[in-house]
Amino acid sequence: MNFAFSDEQEMLRQSARDFLKTHSSLERVRRMREDTIGFSPELWRRMAEAGWLAAVFPEAYGGLGLGYVDLICIQEELGAGLTPEPILSTVTLGGNAVLFGCNEARKQDLLPRIGAGELMMTLAAYELEGRYDLSRVETTATATGAGFALSGQKCFVPEADTSDKLVVSARVKAGAAKGDAVTLFLVDAESSGLALSPIRTVDGRRRSQVTLQEVEVPAEAVLGGVGQGLEILEKTIDRAIVALCAEMVGGMQAALDMSVAYSRERVQFGRPIGSFQALKHLAANMYVTLETARSATYYAAMAIDGDQPDARAAVSCAKALCSDGYLQISKAAIQMHGGIGFTEEHDVHLYYKRALAANVTFGDAAFHRDRYARVKGF
Amino acid sequence: MDLNYTPEEEAFRLEARRWIDANLAEEFKRGADTGAQTSKRARVGWYKKLAEKGWLCASWPKEHGGPGWTLAQQVIFQEEASAQGAPGVDMGVYMVGPLLIEYGTEEQKTRFLPPIARADLLWCQGYSEPNAGSDLANLALRADRDGDDYVLNGQKIWTSGANEADWIFLLARTDPHSEKKQTGISFLVAPMNSPGIRIQPIKQITGESHFYETFFTDVRVPVTHRIGNENEGWTLAKRLLFHERVGLGAARSFRKTLLKLTEYARRVRVNGGAAIEDPLIRSRLAQLYIELDALRAVDYRRLTQLLRGEMPGPESSIMKLYGSELFQRMTDLALDILGPAAVLWQDRALKDLEDGWPKMAVGSRAWSIFSGTNEIQRNIIAQNVLGMPR
C-alpha cells in the first residue's frame, strides 16, 4: 500500500521545478500571450531533450515508457508556472490519438518525431453545438474515390495554428444516428480547404476556429477504422484530462501559496491581514479543496496507468473537482489580495484566467458529474 | 504508486476476515447497516474474544500484550473488522494503554495494562467542560492536593459511555495560578464508582442520550493515579488528541450511507419519475460520490504515511473537515428527495417513506462540532499547515 510518488518521480518533479526556475517566469508567460506562436521553440526543444515529450510513449516508439503518474509530476510544476508550451495538445491529444489509432508504420513515423519536439499536433474534435459531447459531430466525411472529403467547423482547437497535423473527428455518413460512424482523420495543416481563425482567449493560450471545406484526405488518413473514432477519442481525452488536472493542481497550489504569502506581508489595522480569521478560513477552505482535488488527480493517474475498471470514473471525478476547485481557489486568491488582486499588473489574476479556460476544456464539472453517473450506472 | 498489500499481508487479511466472521456476534453484522446501538454485554463479549486471541491491543508492544503486528497488519485488521460491523475497541486500548506505556510508572503499567488487555476495564474520557469546549485549556475541574490524594471538584461534559465505563481518564487543574492555563493541568485516572462521582445523561436533539455530564464532589484520587508529572497533563492530552474520528472507518460508513441514499433515490417518486432520474438530484448524487472518492484518495495518502511510520500530517484534519460537511450534504440531499415527507419524525406507519433520513440529518449536525469544531480545524490548517499569522 503506497499511494505516494517514488524517488525517481520526486526527482522528475524537482527537475521540472528547477527547469522552470531557470527558463520560465510569469513575466515570460505574460509575453507569450502576445507572442506570434504563443510558446518558446527553444524551451520546447529543451523539454524534448529532457525526455518530457516522449515520457508516456512506449519505448518501441522512442518513448520512455513512463506512465501518467510520472507525467503529472512534470505537469503539476508546469501548471504552477502557467507554462504555455503545448504538452497537452501535441503529446496527450495528438500523440495519444496516434498511439491508440494509427497503424504500426504511422506510429513508428510520428511518435518519435513528437518525442523529439519535431512535430506539433492537436485534436479538433469539439463543435459548438455539441459542447462537450464528442459524439455530437456535424462535420461530415464524404467518401471520394481516393479517400474522404471533410467539411465542417471545429471550435476552440488548441494550438491549431502551430500544429503540423490535426486529428479531426467527422461523421462518415451524414445524418447517421448520434454516435455512429464518428471517425478520426489525420489531416495535414497545409491541406487545401482547411482554414484557421485564431481567437482571442481569456488565458492567452492559442486556440482557433477550424473550418474544413471539402478537405481531401486519403483513405489511409483514417485512425483505426471507420466508426472507431469515439473509442479512440475517449481513451485519448481521458489521458489529456489527467494531464490537465495535474496542471490545474499546480496552478491551484501556486495561487494558494501566493495568497498566503500576501496575507503574511500585507498589514492593515496594525496587523498582517492573515491574522484575521475570515482570511484564515478562506485559505483553509482553499487548502482542503486543493488537497482533495490533488488526491483525486493522483488516483486518476494511477487508475489510468493500471488500466483499472474504475479509471473513467476516476478521471471524471478528478476533472469535476479540479474544474470547480481551480475556479474556487483562483477566485478566493483574488479576494485575499484585495484591490491589488484586481489589477492587471499583479499576477494573481493569471491563475483565475487559466481556471476559467481549463474549466471548460474537456468538459466542465457538471458534464463530468453526468459522465461519472453514467459510467457508474445511475 | 500501488494500493496493493504484499501476498503475506493479504494472507493475513484472509485469516483476519475468517476469524472475525466466525467470532463476531450477529448483532454487529446486522447492525452494521442499521447503525443501531449495540449492548455493552455484546461489545465486551467481542472484546473478550479478541483478548483471548491476543488481538485486542493491536498497537501495543509485545511485552505488554500486543500481538506484535506490523503497521500494515494493524490497518488490515481494522479494515476487516470495520467492514463486518465490529464495534471499535475501548478507549482503554487505544488511548489509556499507549499513554501508560509511554508515560506510566512501572506500578501503573502493572496495575492497569493487564486488565485493559483482558477487556476487564472499560474507560470513558473526561476532557470537555461546560466552559471548556474548543478552549479545552480553560478547564476548571479542580484537583487539590491533600496528603497522598487529589480532591476533585467540578464537572465534565460530553462524557460518552460514562454509564458503562469502569474508569475515567481526565484532565484536571492542579495549579490554578499557573502563568499559562495549559501548564496547570494534570492527567488523572479514577474509578467511576468513586464516592462523589455522579453522572447525568444529556438528551441530544436526535432524542438519544449517548453523552453524560459527570459531576465530581470531593472525589479522592490517589496521587499514584496521576499519569506523567504534575502540571504536565496538557502534553499528554495533546498526544491523544490525534485520535481520528474520520479515518477509513467513517469514510466507509459514509459510503454505506450514500449507497442507501442511492437506493432511496431509485425508490422514491419525484415529478413522475424516480428521484434519481431528476437531473438535479442525479447531479448532486454524483457530486457526493465524487467527493467521497476524493476523501478515500486523501485517506490513501494518510494511510501511506502511517504505514511508513511517519508523523501524521494534515490529512486527518482535512478528512474531518471535508468528511463531516460531506456527510451533512448527503443528509441534506436525502431531505430534498424526501420532500414534503421531511416533516416526519420516526413515524411508525410511514417508516419506509421516512427511511431514517430526518433523524440522520438532525444527527449530522454534530459532525461539524465534535472532535474539534470545523472552525477550529480551519484555524489549525491555516496556522499550522499554511503558516498564517496567529
Side-chain angles (χ1 to χ4, degrees):
Chain A
M1 152 60 77
N2 178 47
F3 191 64
F5 295 98
S6 66
D7 290 339
E8 292 76 28
Q9 286 159 348
E10 290 296 348
M11 283 195 318
L12 195 52
R13 185 188 287 283
Q14 188 59 48
S15 76
R17 205 171 277 166
D18 293 339
F19 179 96
L20 280 197
K21 222 181 254 174
T22 314
H23 298 296
S24 191
S25 65
L26 289 183
E27 198 254 308
R28 179 190 82 97
V29 166
R30 283 173 183 273
R31 275 187 282 115
M32 286 297 115
R33 298 176 69 157
E34 312 303 326
D35 184 81
T36 38
I37 63 169
F39 65 90
S40 156
E42 171 59 23
L43 269 173
W44 190 247
R45 191 185 58 76
R46 287 183 190 271
M47 289 179 178
E49 268 166 23
W52 296 357
L53 308 185
V56 292
F57 299 147
E59 282 168 353
Y61 308 113
L64 299 184
L66 297 176
Y68 285 82
V69 174
D70 303 280
L71 186 66
I72 62 177
C73 292
I74 299 167
Q75 280 294 101
E76 216 183 294
E77 299 307 317
L78 296 185
L82 293 173
T83 326
E85 278 64 33
I87 290 184
L88 205 60
S89 11
T90 289
V91 175
T92 68
L93 287 176
N96 275 323
V98 168
L99 182 61
F100 297 127
C102 288
N103 61 28
E104 197 55 32
R106 268 263 160 72
K107 285 192 272 196
Q108 289 288 356
D109 172 29
L110 300 178
L111 294 178
R113 285 163 63 195
I114 291 175
E118 290 159 12
L119 180 69
M120 308 300 290
M121 285 189 66
T122 190
L123 176 70
Y126 294 101
E127 300 180 3
L128 208 53
E129 270 286 309
R131 285 167 76 90
Y132 305 117
D133 188 346
L134 294 163
S135 69
R136 295 192 60 179
V137 172
E138 298 301 319
T139 301
T140 54
T142 314
T144 63
F148 297 87
L150 309 178
S151 289
Q153 255 236 333
K154 297 293 184 184
C155 68
F156 314 135
V157 180
E159 280 88 31
D161 60 345
T162 51
S163 292
D164 302 303
K165 293 184 193 292
L166 295 80
V167 174
V168 178
S169 66
R171 183 176 302 290
V172 169
K173 266 199 266 262
K178 183 169 103 92
D180 293 350
V182 171
T183 307
L184 293 181
F185 298 88
L186 192 60
V187 178
D188 278 330
E190 302 301 310
S191 302
S192 145
L194 188 69
L196 307 180
S197 305
I199 55 178
R200 284 175 53 80
T201 62
V202 65
D203 61 350
R205 302 279 175 103
R206 316 277 297 198
R207 294 180 187 85
S208 302
Q209 303 299 76
V210 174
T211 308
L212 302 108
Q213 270 180 309
E214 307 284 318
V215 174
E216 305 226 341
V217 295
E220 307 82 68
V222 172
L223 272 71
V226 169
Q228 283 180 10
L230 278 182
E231 200 187 302
I232 299 168
L233 277 175
E234 294 271 12
K235 282 177 85 167
T236 297
I237 299 237
D238 274 352
R239 283 152 180 77
I241 290 174
V242 170
L244 176 59
C245 283
E247 203 202 299
M248 293 167 87
V249 167
M252 287 187 244
Q253 178 75 66
L256 175 59
D257 289 345
M258 194 178 272
S259 305
V260 169
Y262 184 75
S263 80
R264 296 171 65 155
E265 292 157 17
R266 172 73 173 168
V267 174
Q268 290 283 264
F269 306 105
R271 41 198 272 208
I273 61 172
S275 66
F276 292 111
Q277 203 174 71
L279 292 194
K280 286 188 195 174
H281 287 205
L282 188 62
N285 289 343
M286 289 160 84
Y287 178 78
V288 173
T289 294
L290 166 59
E291 291 306 313
T292 43
R294 179 200 301 281
S295 305
T297 299
Y298 292 173
Y299 184 83
M302 186 186 76
I304 284 281
D305 282 349
D307 226 343
Q308 291 173 206
D310 65 344
R312 184 145 292 164
V315 168
S316 277
C317 169
K319 186 53 166 56
L321 291 171
C322 286
S323 255
D324 281 343
Y326 202 1
L327 279 174
Q328 178 206 325
I329 287 175
S330 59
K331 287 177 192 172
I334 292 175
Q335 186 68 19
M336 289 261 277
H337 281 81
I340 206 173
F342 197 69
T343 64
E344 167 66 34
E345 186 186 325
H346 199 283
D347 289 334
V348 69
H349 73 103
L350 296 173
Y351 293 97
Y352 175 54
K353 304 273 175 73
R354 183 64 188 133
L356 285 167
N359 175 43
V360 298
T361 303
F362 311 139
D364 60 8
F367 173 81
H368 280 283
R369 279 191 274 277
D370 183 71
R371 193 176 89 144
Y372 183 99
R374 259 186 294 118
V375 165
K376 288 280 188 168
F378 65 86
Chain B
M1 240 180 226
D2 184 356
L3 296 183
N4 294 312
Y5 289 88
T6 67
E8 295 76 27
E9 286 163 352
E10 288 300 330
F12 170 76
R13 182 189 292 281
L14 278 177
E15 185 196 345
R17 188 177 293 171
R18 284 187 200 124
W19 186 89
I20 294 165
D21 185 46
N23 288 276
L24 185 65
E26 271 311 301
E27 175 180 348
F28 294 114
K29 295 184 191 178
R30 269 184 282 111
D33 291 328
T34 66
Q37 269 298 102
T38 49
S39 68
K40 174 179 176 177
R41 231 180 99 243
R43 270 183 288 126
V44 173
W46 168 241
Y47 299 155
K48 288 221 176 270
K49 285 218 178 123
L50 281 170
E52 232 171 74
K53 182 80 174 162
W55 285 3
L56 179 63
C57 303
S59 66
W60 293 18
K62 259 191 135 155
E63 69 260 33
H64 293 296
W69 283 346
T70 61
L71 285 168
Q73 282 175 298
Q74 291 173 44
V75 165
I76 286 170
F77 188 82
Q78 167 91 310
E79 284 178 6
E80 292 302 314
S82 152
Q84 293 195 45
V89 294
D90 185 73
M91 279 190 272
V93 170
Y94 68 85
M95 301 257 247
V96 185
L99 201 71
L100 281 169
I101 290 168
E102 196 176 343
Y103 294 100
T105 62
E106 285 316 304
E107 290 78 17
Q108 287 170 341
K109 289 182 205 179
T110 313
R111 163 82 179 80
F112 291 109
L113 294 181
I116 292 175
R118 284 191 308 264
D120 282 343
L121 289 184
L122 296 188
W123 292 74
C124 64
Q125 177 192 74
Y127 279 12
S128 300
E129 297 181 6
N131 279 328
S134 293
D135 185 6
L136 185 58
N138 198 39
L139 64 89
L141 171 72
R142 291 283 292 264
D144 298 316
R145 190 70 183 261
D146 178 31
D148 291 333
D149 294 334
Y150 289 109
V151 179
L152 270 54
N153 279 289
Q155 73 154 118
K156 291 295 178 189
I157 200 172
W158 302 119
T159 330
S160 93
N163 58 329
E164 293 180 347
D166 302 298
W167 279 67
I168 184 169
F169 61 95
L170 56 84
L171 295 172
R173 188 160 299 286
T174 36
D175 181 2
H177 308 296
S178 60
E179 199 184 306
K180 281 172 61 179
K181 286 191 234 163
Q182 287 86 339
T183 54
I185 294 170
S186 299
F187 197 106
L188 306 174
V189 298
M192 284 299 281
N193 61 8
S194 303
I197 295 185
R198 178 178 69 85
I199 68 173
Q200 191 166 289
I202 301 172
K203 194 162 185 189
Q204 297 148 227
I205 61 178
T206 47
E208 290 146 348
S209 306
H210 297 318
F211 297 95
Y212 290 78
E213 288 184 281
T214 308
F215 299 93
F216 297 79
T217 312
D218 297 329
V219 178
R220 301 195 78 91
V221 173
V223 170
T224 52
H225 285 181
R226 185 194 68 229
I227 303 182
N229 296 325
E230 187 166 284
N231 296 323
E232 287 180 12
W234 187 251
T235 313
L236 268 62
K238 275 208 295 194
R239 287 189 76 74
L240 292 186
L241 283 172
F242 267 125
H243 167 226
E244 283 134 32
R245 194 64 79 106
V246 186
L248 198 60
R252 188 192 299 274
S253 99
F254 291 160
R255 192 165 290 273
K256 282 197 171 145
T257 302
L258 191 51
L259 288 170
K260 181 176 184 301
L261 180 59
T262 309
E263 251 337 277
Y264 188 65
R266 288 191 209 277
R267 187 157 53 86
V268 169
R269 314 278 301 164
V270 165
N271 293 330
I276 205 169
E277 288 159 14
D278 178 283
L280 287 177
I281 289 174
R282 187 164 166 273
S283 184
R284 283 170 70 183
L285 197 60
Q287 181 65 14
L288 290 171
Y289 274 96
I290 282 168
E291 290 170 358
L292 198 53
D293 284 354
L295 188 69
R296 182 171 52 188
V298 174
D299 199 47
Y300 288 148
R301 290 169 63 189
R302 181 194 65 90
L303 215 49
T304 297
Q305 276 174 15
L306 179 75
L307 290 171
R308 285 178 175 177
E310 285 168 13
M311 276 299 289
E315 281 76 9
S316 297
S317 269
I318 296 172
M319 290 182 66
K320 199 272 169 177
L321 199 43
Y322 195 72
S324 58
E325 293 177 2
L326 170 57
F327 181 54
Q328 290 172 341
R329 282 193 291 279
M330 233 183 261
T331 59
D332 285 349
L333 178 58
L335 292 187
D336 286 348
I337 294 172
L338 216 69
V343 295
L344 292 169
W345 184 261
Q346 308 214 260
D347 185 81
R348 262 180 260 254
L350 293 173
K351 185 162 169 268
D352 280 343
L353 177 60
E354 191 182 334
D355 203 31
W357 295 111
K359 181 163 173 231
M360 198 179 293
V362 168
S364 78
R365 305 324 306 168
W367 281 79
S368 46
I369 300 171
F370 67 44
S371 225
T373 65
N374 286 3
E375 287 68 34
I376 294 289
Q377 300 289 350
R378 287 181 164 96
N379 284 351
I380 290 171
I381 286 172
Q383 286 160 194
N384 300 3
V385 179
L386 299 176
M388 289 174 79
R390 285 184 186 266

